[in-house]
Structures are given as structure tokens and as C-alpha cells.
Amino acid sequence: MDAVLLWFTHHGGTIDASSIGFVDFSNAGRGAVALRDIPENHILFKIPRKLLLSNETSPLPALIGLEQWRARKMHIGWAGLILCMLWEAAKGQESKWAPYLDSLPTTFDTPMFWSEGDLEELRGTSISDLFKLEKLGKADAEKDFHEKVLPLVQSRPDIFLAPTTFYTLQRYHIMGSRILSRSFDVEKNEEDNENEAANTSVGSAMDVDSDHPPTTNEHEETGSDGEAEDDEEDDSIVVSMVPLADMLNARYGSENAKLFYEKYALGMISTKPILAGEQIWNTYGDLPNAELLRRYGHVDLLPLDDQPGELGNPGDVVEIRADLVISAQNLSQEDTKERIDWWLEQGGDDVIVFEWDMVIPPALVALIRLLRLPPDEFAHAVEKDKVPKPKLDLEVLSVVITVLERRLTEYPTTLLDDLKLMEDEGLSINKKHALVVRIGEKRILQGALQKAMEARTAAEAASQVTSERPRKRKAGEETGRNVKTRKR
């Protein structure tokens, strides 16, 4: 750590060493702590833009030729930045970023690096849809490596002086994991923009919440999670490695510092008072444990206000696929394709999310009603360009219950099984993390199922009362005796 700080200050970085220190935590890696009481809006450190490592600051794209760089699509996704990092690492101590690169982790607890046996523990979770590991991004990463990165390395031995055996798929995955867990989205510094705000927050892998700016009005936030999936990139955003800023840990609801940028530097600023000895937290955006594990290789466990004595992550969610909603009603994909296509055109999603409040999502109710419409009513809905209203009734509740029950069967174990397994002190870190994810998701499903069953019972009782209530007779209706009428 001393070497990184020396390198950081040597290249123009500034740090309030009386306020912030970096320590190694036994169960959370390296993080930052307050060495004294820190007031709100205090600048903890500043990073010159020239110390950021990105496609913009690395000399590699210019050496390749910017036209060639773009022709090979190295500006799309993370392939270009990964190659820049590999190239800098291959230069060893001659690299400008050598001390920083040397400080980055080489092993990760993310599922991308898990064994098949450990991945089995994720069956049914949002991370692994019955072992379709596309969310881990591994297949896409390997395709980029073989189709974009390796051919470029092999074509320019005048630039890539290290043996091509240095540029391995394993090193590629390591650099990609560093970006996934530590990168920030940084807006370009437009020199000719005279009206640019003095400071703006940087969205990042560790700072994605754009809803709560600091109390001072000089900061205007923007942000995203740093992952690029589309073919066209936003030219105003640069995915960047930001030394020092990426050393702060994060925990659900604990953020007390954020990264903001100025024209020529980025500043880590406290967003609330921090007491001496407290950890200085950035934020991942209060993500569910499934996403925390997928991206960063850790989970959040905090006391739950609504479940005394239990630990969990209030940001947890459960995904319900549209095909599960279809199969729960004994409908076929072929028969419902037109309706699903129209649902998506109307802005619906093919994945419905249950959150920690365990409330039945209106989107799920609307989708169920859409799938159950008679053909003429579906045609009318299309004509009116309106999806059905999310009205819960007995029929819909029964489908919701079936959906939740079937979703629970996608896990290889029950909630009770998992709670018992958590008592095993000999669990590996991977299996423990998988259990935490499973338990969090199953608690939501079980809670939502209980609410749906209670709602169905109440609806059935109300329906029974309605059916037994004496019906008011209209004038002239047969009652077993003549009804007299008044002559005018």
C-alpha cells in the first residue's frame, strides 16, 4: 500500500492522510477508515485525470492507430480496456501504472472462477438460470478474446513485445474481473465546454445511485453501472480504472462517501459526517446479493428490521421469467408468442421482479390477465393499445400461487434445508455465498406465496358472502304471491 500511495502522490494525487487510512479487513479485503472525525463534504483525496487508466489515457490505441482500433471494434465493450491493461502489465515496471497494477487482486470469489461443483450451488438463483451462465458474461468475454484481442496482438509484434503467450485467456479474465469490480464510468473532460458544471458525480461499479446527491448544490450527479452491452458506445463516457477510489468497500445502505469529478481531477468526498474509526463506504447502488456475488464476489448480511434476529440483504430480489408464467397456466409458447411480442412492444418485460416487500408486482398481474384474455378481447386490447389493468381476482391469484410454487421448485433445496446448511462452520466461502443468495431469494418467494394465499382465502370468503347474501327483488318479480300494481 505504501508503494501505491507514494506513486499516487508522485504523479500529482493528493490525499488527506490525517483523515483517511487504508487497512486490511479479515473478511472484506482492503478498505478505508476514518482516522479522525470527518465532516460532511470533506475532500478525502483527489485523483488527477491523467492517473486514470482507460482507452483515453493509455497510449496503446494511438500506437495501433485510432481508425484501426475502431475498425477492430476495440472501442466497444471492455475488450479495448482489458487489452490496454494487459499491455501495461506486460511492460512491467516500465509501465506508468506499474505500482497500481501490482496492487490489484489476482484471485476473485466471483462465480466466473468457481468450479462446476460450486456452480451447482447456484442452481435456480438469479445468477444461474439452470446453468445458463450467460449472465456471468464468460462466453461473450471469451468470444471477444479470440475474435478481437488475440488477432490484434498477433498482427502487431512491433507493439506487443512480450511473447503472445503472455496474452492468455486466464489473464484476460482476471483483467475483466478487475474492471467489473473496480471500474468507474467517467464523463470525458470537454475542454471547449465553457458552461460545464464545476463538479459532477461519477457513476461507477461502486457508485451507481444517482438519486441522492450531497447536500451542497455544486454537485450534479450522473451515473450508470459501468457495463456496456450495446454495439454503440456512449462517446461521452469512458470506462476507467480509478486508483485509490476503487479501494473503498461498500455495504447496503452504508454509503458515506462518493466520487465526484472536476475538470482535471476526480475527488472522493464525504457525503455525511464520519466518526473516527468508522469505515469509509462507497456504494454499489444497494444491489441484491445475487448481483453483488456475480460482480464483486461478496454478499451483504445485515440485521433485518422486519425479521428480528435474522441477517440478510433488503435489496434482494427474485426474477420470474415470462415462460414460467406461461407454463403455469398450461399455455404453449407457440400460442402465446403474439401476445408476448405485443407485451414487450408495450414496454413490458420478459422478466418480472419480486422485491423484498414481497408484494405481487402489478406487471405480473397484468401479464397473467393478458395471457388469459379471450381472442376477441385480446384483439380489442391491441386495437385500444392498452394492456389489461393489474386487477387481482381469484383466478389471477391462483395463477400467481402456481407461479411462485413452481419457481421454488427450481432450487435443489428448500428454505429449511438451506437454513440448516448455514449452521455448518466448515462451509467453503463459495458455498456460503451461494447459500446466502438462495436463502434471500427463497424468503421473498415464501413471503410472497404466503401473502398470495392469504389474499386468495380472503377473496374466497368475500365471494362466498356475496353468493349467500339475499338478492334484492325487482318489482314484478315472482315471489309466490301476486304483486299489486297501482292504476293511474
Side-chain angles (χ1 to χ4, degrees):
M1 190 63 208
D2 289 342
V4 175
L5 292 175
L6 183 63
W7 165 82
F8 180 76
T9 54
H10 177 74
H11 285 277
T14 60
I15 181 170
D16 182 0
S18 67
S19 296
I20 182 173
F22 295 91
V23 299
D24 290 318
F25 294 94
S26 59
N27 58 350
R30 184 171 293 158
V33 295
L35 301 180
R36 64 178 180 85
D37 289 350
I38 300 174
E40 184 179 357
N41 293 327
H42 183 73
I43 299 174
L44 302 170
F45 52 83
K46 280 193 176 184
I47 313 108
R49 283 181 176 266
K50 64 182 181 181
L51 275 190
L52 274 56
L53 179 50
S54 70
N55 287 341
E56 297 290 314
T57 58
S58 172
L60 181 60
L63 288 174
I64 297 294
L66 296 182
E67 288 188 8
Q68 184 65 213
W69 187 262
R70 295 185 72 87
R72 291 177 176 268
K73 300 185 183 298
M74 298 301 293
H75 64 296
I76 295 175
W78 292 351
L81 178 53
I82 293 176
L83 182 55
C84 288
M85 294 173 67
L86 284 170
W87 183 66
E88 293 292 344
K91 291 161 65 177
Q93 295 307 306
E94 294 182 7
S95 169
K96 171 183 175 180
W97 287 277
Y100 170 63
L101 291 172
D102 289 344
S103 73
L104 296 177
T106 57
T107 59
F108 300 87
D109 292 321
T110 52
M112 180 177 286
F113 297 94
W114 287 16
S115 67
E116 289 298 320
D118 285 345
L119 286 173
E120 175 72 23
E121 301 293 331
L122 293 172
R123 182 183 289 272
T125 67
S126 299
I127 305 176
S128 174
D129 181 13
L130 297 178
F131 291 104
K132 294 176 183 177
L133 301 177
E134 66 274 8
K135 289 191 73 174
L136 300 180
K138 194 171 185 177
D140 289 340
E142 293 184 358
K143 181 179 179 182
D144 278 350
F145 175 76
H146 290 294
E147 296 182 2
K148 294 165 65 173
V149 173
L150 202 54
L152 178 54
V153 170
Q154 293 170 340
S155 70
R156 296 300 301 269
D158 57 317
I159 295 175
F160 298 97
L161 302 179
T164 55
T165 53
F166 176 85
Y167 296 90
T168 63
L169 183 59
Q170 181 184 16
R171 284 196 176 98
Y172 186 84
H173 280 317
I174 289 173
M175 292 300 184
S177 293
R178 289 172 170 179
I179 295 172
L180 180 65
S181 61
R182 291 170 172 262
S183 68
F184 289 73
D185 278 0
V186 180
E187 285 190 10
K188 285 185 180 179
N189 178 22
E190 299 294 345
E191 294 287 343
D192 58 348
N193 188 356
E194 297 297 331
N195 297 320
E196 182 180 23
N199 297 298
T200 307
S201 173
V202 179
S204 74
M206 298 201 288
D207 179 5
V208 297
D209 183 4
S210 60
D211 295 328
H212 306 287
T215 53
T216 177
N217 292 327
E218 65 181 349
H219 305 295
E220 178 187 353
E221 291 198 301
T222 64
S224 77
D225 66 4
E227 293 192 65
E229 297 178 354
D230 297 331
D231 287 342
E232 294 299 326
E233 299 290 272
D234 183 350
D235 286 339
S236 67
I237 297 295
V238 182
V239 180
S240 307
M241 302 298 291
V242 185
L244 251 65
D246 58 10
M247 293 185 184
L248 271 64
N249 289 323
R251 186 179 65 186
Y252 181 93
S254 301
E255 169 212 322
N256 52 23
K258 275 191 176 182
L259 189 64
F260 293 82
Y261 67 76
E262 300 171 354
K263 201 166 188 178
Y264 301 109
L266 310 182
M268 185 63 72
I269 302 174
S270 60
T271 57
K272 61 182 66 172
I274 308 171
L275 298 179
E278 289 185 343
Q279 187 164 179
I280 301 175
W281 302 97
N282 202 333
T283 178
Y284 294 139
D286 291 343
L287 298 174
N289 277 333
E291 277 299 285
L292 290 176
L293 181 59
R294 184 183 74 87
R295 297 185 188 187
Y296 314 116
H298 78 86
V299 294
D300 277 350
L301 283 174
L302 301 110
L304 299 173
D305 293 337
D306 56 344
Q307 299 182 40
E310 299 292 341
L311 299 176
N313 182 349
D316 277 344
V317 299
V318 177
E319 296 179 350
I320 303 287
R321 303 178 312 280
D323 60 352
L324 180 59
V325 180
I326 293 170
S327 65
Q329 302 177 73
N330 295 320
L331 304 172
S332 71
Q333 298 280 348
E334 183 178 349
D335 292 340
T336 57
K337 184 180 185 305
E338 180 184 2
R339 300 190 181 203
I340 292 296
D341 289 344
W342 184 71
W343 166 261
L344 296 174
E345 290 173 4
Q346 295 299 308
D349 204 340
D350 58 358
V351 173
I352 308 296
V353 176
F354 276 78
E355 299 184 352
W356 191 255
D357 58 12
M358 305 168 192
V359 172
I360 300 172
L364 176 60
V365 178
L367 177 58
I368 292 172
R369 295 183 69 87
L370 171 65
L371 294 172
R372 300 182 72 83
L373 285 178
D376 59 331
E377 292 186 25
F378 172 63
H380 183 68
V382 172
E383 181 183 352
K384 293 292 185 180
D385 205 31
K386 292 179 65 176
V387 300
K389 293 181 179 180
K391 180 183 177 182
L392 268 176
D393 56 23
L394 268 172
E395 190 177 68
V396 172
L397 279 168
S398 293
V399 176
V400 170
I401 289 169
T402 302
V403 167
L404 292 170
E405 288 174 339
R406 292 197 181 187
R407 181 65 179 85
L408 279 165
T409 65
E410 294 182 356
Y411 301 93
T413 55
T414 68
L415 178 57
L416 287 178
D417 291 336
D418 288 348
L419 292 173
K420 290 179 180 178
L421 286 171
M422 279 293 287
E423 298 174 2
D424 183 358
E425 297 181 357
L427 285 173
S428 68
I429 188 67
N430 290 352
K431 290 188 176 182
K432 182 176 181 180
H433 284 169
L435 273 173
V436 169
V437 172
R438 296 202 315 249
I439 289 171
E441 292 186 359
K442 290 174 187 177
R443 278 175 172 160
I444 294 174
L445 289 170
Q446 293 278 30
L449 180 60
Q450 181 65 31
K451 286 187 175 183
M453 287 179 168
E454 291 172 355
R456 183 175 64 177
T457 299
E460 288 173 341
S463 176
Q464 183 68 21
V465 169
T466 301
S467 65
E468 293 176 355
R469 183 180 299 151
R471 185 168 58 88
K472 291 183 179 179
R473 299 184 181 90
K474 297 180 181 179
E477 188 174 31
E478 289 291 338
T479 62
R481 58 183 178 178
N482 293 332
V483 177
K484 297 181 179 178
T485 59
R486 180 182 300 173
K487 294 182 179 179
R488 292 179 182 270

